[in-house]
Amino acid sequence: MITLKDKVVGSYYGMAVGNAMGMSVKSLKPKTILQLFGSINEFKDVSSFIGKGIKHFKMRGLYGCQTQSALVIGDCLLQNNKLDPNKTSQLLIKMATNGPEHYLGTFRHPEKGFFQSISGLVEGSPQISEHNIPDAAFLSMGIPAGLLHRERPEVGIHLNIGIGLIMTRNLCEITGLALTGYLASRLLQLELENNSLIFNQTESILKDAEIFCHKIETQIRNTAPIIWDQTPESERRMLEQTIKGLREKWNTGFNELLSWVCQNASERHKTKITSPAQSHVLSLLPLCLIIVLRDYCGFDSTLTNVLNMGKEAHKTGTLVGTWAGAIYGWHGIPELWRSGLVNGKEIRIRGEGLFSRSFPKKAKDIYEMEMGLTSKEFELGKKYFQKSTKFIRPTPRPKLSWEDDDTNESNLPEKSDTVNRRKFEKDKSKAKKNRRKNSKLNEVDS
């Protein structure tokens, strides 16, 4: 029998595990993942693949900004016992300052939408964000309220709409954020029979999710009429209608269902989506629901299945890790994954705090904690950034007097390429001698 505490902690811990494992294959295609790693069934060291398919260094077992932003919200809710937009914004601003070079403060590997929203926050009353793209940048921020108010979903709606309004003005994004939190609380109630889900529970979950989407948008219309009025009619109820379509097509084949997800998201988002793992609310949310609810194969296989699909693996890993953790509990997460998660002790402490609805006294200050982790990743990755990804870009030097216009220092061969390196140096020396010779001839003529 899995206890409720084990499920709540498992959901929060699973969020970080899935995000950390997904960071190593972020943006990669499934074929590339297969070539580099075989299968994402553990935390991967990416250092040997920098410049060979992976662009940026990520510390093994360390989560990124998806989990970090959820931790910020969780700490704010536990410390204030409610959502205080001013304090939440101030903490987000603090988290986004004074970090290592090329980081958004303490935040690790944020995407454009997240960066823009955080950068747009100001001291004092938060303004409505300019972010208006349903790119699933903030879905994880709905998880803490869902787990904290697991028995009062209406409270979770109110809190998560407020959180969404701090970060974005996209109706679908806000609805998705609130739905992510609700599903975390809803899946806590799911019962297992011989470690398998009971089919009729899945039908009920999808129906409840559909109803919940309607409730979310109804409340947004009442509390944020400006955003509702600015949203075109065609973009309202998109997530609700998508969940309804998913429920109606649930019994079709797996590949056929994924094809429908792509087609539906393409039509509603008005952009071509060829993989359900692409970064859109209407593709990622249905995909993760399919992975979690159809296979019934335990935490490890469920998470591995979605991570091997690549693309937005850091986001899908976060969602699937959260929802699978709510079903299978903390003890359902493989021990090797539990021990391999960087900062796992603090994540577990905070998960226990969400269960008890009180901020743990022994928890570290989140800013100092995340600054230390970000600085550590930066120090470990400096040599990889500079050598292969040009993460640190030096100021271009001025052209020297002897250099011809067609001599490009950026074409300098690597030292390991001895033949071309020697030829390059020889040609450069010859060009320098010719320039000096021509200069002397010009002086004589004058």
Side-chain angles (χ1 to χ4, degrees), residues 10 41 115 191 207 278 291 392 398:
N41 52 12
F115 177 87
E191 297 180 359
K207 184 62 178 177
Q278 286 178 230
I291 295 294
I392 302 174

Side-chain angles (χ1 to χ4, degrees), residues 263-443:
Q263 180 184 354
N264 175 76
S266 297
E267 292 173 355
R268 297 186 185 278
H269 282 318
K270 296 181 176 61
T271 185
K272 187 176 181 180
I273 297 174
T274 57
S275 167
Q278 286 178 230
S279 189
H280 301 278
V281 172
L282 297 187
S283 56
L284 293 189
L285 268 171
L287 168 63
C288 293
L289 276 171
I290 292 168
I291 295 294
V292 171
L293 296 178
R294 271 185 68 120
D295 292 339
Y296 322 139
C297 51
F299 184 93
D300 50 350
S301 296
T302 300
L303 183 57
T304 297
N305 285 345
V306 79
L307 293 178
N308 285 328
M309 297 179 73
K311 298 291 185 179
E312 300 299 305
H314 58 304
K315 294 179 181 177
T316 57
T318 301
L319 296 182
V320 170
T322 299
W323 295 341
I327 297 171
Y328 301 105
W330 188 77
H331 286 93
I333 303 173
E335 196 280 330
L336 187 63
W337 295 4
R338 296 199 305 260
S339 61
L341 178 67
V342 175
N343 206 36
K345 180 181 178 180
E346 287 294 323
I347 303 297
R348 183 173 182 179
I349 287 174
R350 283 166 162 80
E352 292 171 347
L354 288 174
F355 172 75
S356 63
R357 297 190 175 97
S358 61
F359 186 76
K361 295 180 180 179
K362 54 185 177 180
K364 294 180 181 178
D365 176 79
I366 188 169
Y367 175 77
E368 294 180 357
M369 175 177 77
E370 294 302 323
M371 178 61 78
L373 293 171
T374 300
S375 298
K376 183 175 181 180
E377 183 186 70
F378 174 74
E379 290 300 324
L380 288 174
K382 277 195 302 187
K383 58 180 179 180
Y384 301 108
F385 293 150
Q386 189 172 16
K387 179 179 179 181
S388 299
T389 68
K390 298 181 181 178
F391 194 70
I392 302 174
R393 294 178 175 83
T395 303
R397 65 171 176 78
K399 185 175 291 186
L400 302 179
S401 60
W402 54 266
E403 292 182 310
D404 292 327
D405 291 337
D406 60 352
T407 302
N408 191 344
E409 189 71 12
S410 63
N411 293 328
L412 179 65
E414 295 288 338
K415 290 183 178 180
S416 58
D417 187 359
T418 55
V419 175
N420 289 324
R421 178 86 177 199
R422 191 180 298 115
K423 183 177 182 302
F424 180 90
E425 295 291 349
K426 184 177 180 180
D427 291 343
K428 185 172 74 171
S429 179
K430 184 178 179 180
K432 184 176 180 180
K433 290 178 180 179
N434 289 339
R435 177 62 62 86
R436 288 175 176 172
K437 181 178 180 181
N438 291 334
S439 297
K440 291 180 180 180
L441 289 174
N442 290 335
E443 290 176 1

Side-chain angles (χ1 to χ4, degrees), residues 109-149:
H109 316 292
E111 297 175 340
K112 183 178 179 181
F114 188 88
F115 177 87
Q116 289 178 337
S117 288
I118 295 293
S119 300
L121 294 175
V122 294
E123 295 288 350
S125 299
Q127 62 184 20
I128 295 179
S129 169
E130 290 301 311
H131 180 275
N132 192 22
I133 305 172
D135 55 359
F138 312 110
L139 299 185
S140 62
M141 298 177 80
I143 295 168
L147 296 176
L148 183 65
H149 297 284

Side-chain angles (χ1 to χ4, degrees), residues 182-250:
Y182 167 73
L183 286 169
S185 64
R186 179 66 178 82
L187 292 173
L188 293 172
Q189 306 170 24
L190 208 57
E191 297 180 359
L192 300 178
E193 189 175 277
N194 298 323
N195 205 38
S196 295
L197 304 182
I198 303 172
F199 174 76
N200 59 8
Q201 292 185 99
T202 300
E203 172 76 14
S204 175
I205 289 168
L206 294 175
K207 184 62 178 177
D208 289 348
E210 181 185 339
I211 295 171
F212 198 78
C213 286
H214 183 79
K215 290 182 178 180
I216 296 169
E217 292 206 5
T218 299
Q219 187 161 331
I220 293 174
R221 183 177 59 190
N222 295 332
T223 59
I226 294 177
I227 289 181
W228 179 265
D229 293 340
Q230 290 177 344
T231 303
E233 183 70 31
S234 61
E235 296 181 14
R236 299 173 184 173
R237 313 290 187 200
M238 289 201 304
L239 190 52
E240 176 187 348
Q241 293 166 6
T242 295
I243 298 297
K244 179 181 179 181
L246 181 65
R247 178 173 58 83
E248 293 173 346
K249 294 183 177 296
W250 191 255

Side-chain angles (χ1 to χ4, degrees), residues 9 15 17 62 68 83 153 288 297:
V9 175
M15 169 188 71
V17 168
L62 181 60
Q68 290 179 290
L83 176 67
C288 293
C297 51

